[in-house]
Amino acid sequence: MKIGTNKNSSIRLLIHGGAGAVQRDRLKPEREKAFMEVLAQSLHVGHTVLSAGGSSVDAVVAAIEIMEDSPEFNAGRGAVFSHEGCNELDASIMDGAERMAGAVAAVTTICNPIRAAHAVMINSPHILLIGQGAEAFAKAQNLKLVDPTYFYTQRRWDQLQKAIARERIVLDHEFDSDAPLDNDEKYGTVGAVAVDCSGNLAAGTSTGGLTNKRYGRVGDTPIIGAGTYADNQSVAVSATGTGEMFIRTAAGFYTATQVRLQKKTMTEAAENTLAEIKAIGGEGGLIVLNAAGEYSMCFNTSGMFRGVIGDDGVAYVGVFSGGESLAAY
Ligand code: ASP
């Protein structure tokens, strides 16, 4: 049974491209423009799906795929490198109608990990497939596989060399003003939440994880209830930030539970979740959407790349907080 189905409700799509220590005076205009263009494209592609009557799940996949294909974001092409110099990708998706979910972790040859997560959800009895098994499954599903070098970008490689030199495991979002990495590089995980014309919610998230990560480290992104969660009875959530703390707080599920059981507003719930994360040394952001199309985008970093589009098809994108934080694009 589909819960919360609401024929002819408003459509809406929210996306993020990572939260972090983005400083206004250090974000070069051409980089900002490049980010905004991809965010706007992602929103328009997802909106095309929704406005044609497509499902929130398909809109989330389509929107995330655009960001995975862009070298600007830490997901798909443009993913950060592990200590061993590999790009190990994680992604997940959840369908709020029946709480179906799928995820892949530590994959190295799947061109669009969000498509693999989707295939796990709809074509397997499982939720989370990892490494070579996930890749064998993707091959059997006829998904596009690529040589691992496809994911190589020079700036991510240079970022790894700096992290190794400093003996640090670097989160894209890490806030370390004493030893800043390139300020333009501190963000990039991508996510989307959507509500379709039937009132069904979906959420998805995709990442390369942490620069210089080791030992098969997996963060919150492919963990259902942490980096991604969707339930028509509450909200759809996609997270970005210090993955370990988002797992420890079950960030996605915790946010949804506050809305459903404690009747918190989405902003209250997201802010509570981020406060819990901060209390254990983490930071990041959340995008949250309900079946009525109401939403919240919260972060406790200086910026979060993000955007929103609704029935009118106008894409609003931005990175910083404050009055004129989102602009039509
Ligand atoms: N949450 C992701 C992870 O910990 C990283 C990110 O959001 O940038 O793998």
Side-chain angles (χ1 to χ4, degrees):
M1 184 180 73
K2 297 205 172 197
I3 300 162
T5 298
N6 174 17
K7 285 270 176 248
N8 302 320
S9 71
S10 298
I11 56 172
R12 194 172 302 279
L13 169 68
L14 269 65
I15 57 172
H16 71 75
V22 198
Q23 284 159 29
R24 206 181 280 271
D25 53 343
R26 299 230 187 154
L27 181 61
K28 298 183 190 99
E30 61 273 20
R31 276 312 297 288
E32 184 172 356
K33 184 164 179 280
F35 280 113
M36 296 308 140
E37 280 173 359
V38 180
L39 291 175
Q41 187 193 359
S42 167
L43 288 168
H44 285 301
V45 166
H47 180 265
T48 300
V49 173
L50 292 172
S51 60
S55 72
S56 52
V57 167
D58 288 345
V60 162
V61 171
I64 289 181
E65 193 172 40
I66 295 291
M67 294 186 281
E68 286 181 336
D69 288 346
S70 163
E72 302 298 342
F73 295 96
N74 174 19
R77 199 167 153 241
V80 299
F81 284 93
S82 70
H83 182 75
E84 289 74 23
C86 302
N87 304 105
E88 296 173 1
L89 313 172
D90 306 329
S92 68
I93 190 159
M94 187 160 183
D95 180 347
E98 301 186 39
R99 290 195 281 181
M100 296 286 286
V104 294
V107 296
T108 58
T109 64
I110 299 174
C111 185
N112 290 105
I114 193 66
R115 287 221 169 263
H118 181 237
V120 172
M121 178 171 81
I122 62 171
N123 291 333
S124 91
H126 307 301
I127 302 292
L128 174 57
L129 301 182
I130 63 165
Q132 290 177 352
E135 279 158 8
F137 174 77
K139 189 172 179 197
Q141 292 289 311
N142 292 319
L143 296 182
K144 186 174 174 191
L145 301 182
V146 291
D147 187 89
T149 55
Y150 165 81
F151 299 108
Y152 182 98
T153 55
Q154 190 63 45
R155 67 189 178 88
R156 294 301 193 187
W157 182 255
D158 295 344
Q159 193 176 340
L160 173 65
Q161 304 317 311
K162 285 183 196 170
I164 289 174
R166 289 178 188 152
E167 296 183 353
R168 287 174 57 207
I169 296 171
V170 180
L171 188 77
D172 244 16
H173 316 278
E174 196 161 347
F175 204 118
D176 183 350
S177 51
D178 291 328
L181 222 67
D182 295 343
N183 273 280
D184 287 1
E185 314 295 348
K186 292 183 177 180
Y187 29 76
T189 287
V190 306
V193 292
V195 60
D196 59 31
C197 62
S198 299
N200 287 317
L201 291 169
T205 315
S206 182
T207 191
L210 308 184
T211 296
N212 204 19
K213 65 185 181 181
R214 300 183 83 165
Y215 310 118
R217 180 269 184 190
V218 172
D220 61 314
T221 299
I223 307 298
I224 298 301
T228 299
Y229 191 72
D231 177 2
N232 280 5
Q233 297 177 90
S234 54
V235 289
V237 185
S238 173
T240 172
T242 48
E244 280 70 8
M245 291 73 167
F246 281 71
I247 295 173
R248 289 164 61 192
T249 54
F253 184 69
Y254 179 51
T255 304
T257 299
Q258 291 174 69
V259 173
R260 183 173 168 193
L261 300 181
Q262 297 184 313
K263 309 299 175 203
K264 301 279 187 203
T265 67
M266 286 177 282
T267 298
E268 284 168 351
E271 285 179 348
N272 285 340
T273 302
L274 291 172
E276 301 257 345
I277 286 165
K278 190 173 179 196
I280 56 172
E283 63 174 7
L286 298 160
I287 55 174
V288 191
L289 173 71
N290 70 14
E294 298 157 343
Y295 64 95
S296 184
M297 301 193 268
C298 292
F299 47 99
N300 61 6
T301 52
S302 54
M304 178 167 79
F305 287 87
R306 62 198 190 280
V308 57
I309 195 164
D311 288 300
D312 62 4
V314 180
Y316 293 90
V317 295
V319 52
F320 301 106
S321 55
E324 302 289 313
S325 56
L326 296 186
Y329 209 90

